[in-house]
Amino acid sequence: MLPELAVTPGTAFGIYVHVPFCATRCGYCDFNTYTAGELGGASQGGWLAALRTELREAAAACGQVPVDTVFVGGGTPSLLGADRLGVVLNSIT
């Protein structure tokens, strides 16, 4: 259950999507990231399903609020591939 969010209807805002997947761990990284060996069976498909659930719950809590910016960061978002990144973006709009 998400906490109540203070969002003014009709006011656009930005969304940050944290993608926690990396091919290798970089020594300088402070992000919450995981390499394939550290995931212990977690999959990108499972992460994507969980993200879509979170986005639906956030939309239910906020109502129809326009998103004007999407920042995708974290580990190495390109490891998701174009199709999955497209699903992420389509799930936000």
Side-chain angles (χ1 to χ4, degrees):
M1 180 69 121
L2 292 173
E4 241 183 87
L5 301 174
V7 178
T8 304
T11 302
F13 70 99
I15 291 181
Y16 170 72
V17 178
H18 183 84
V19 180
F21 303 107
C22 291
T24 60
R25 168 106 35 209
C26 298
Y28 60 84
C29 182
D30 286 332
F31 286 113
N32 179 27
T33 58
Y34 302 93
T35 63
E38 295 171 322
L39 289 173
S43 69
Q44 293 178 358
W47 171 84
L48 186 56
L51 175 68
R52 293 176 81 185
T53 298
E54 282 284 322
L55 289 169
R56 279 192 301 273
E57 289 181 12
C62 296
Q64 293 297 320
V65 180
V67 174
D68 65 356
T69 305
V70 178
F71 179 79
V72 181
T76 309
S78 61
L79 288 177
L80 292 176
D83 290 342
R84 285 193 175 118
L85 282 173
V87 169
V88 168
L89 295 175
N90 287 330
S91 297
I92 292 169
T93 58

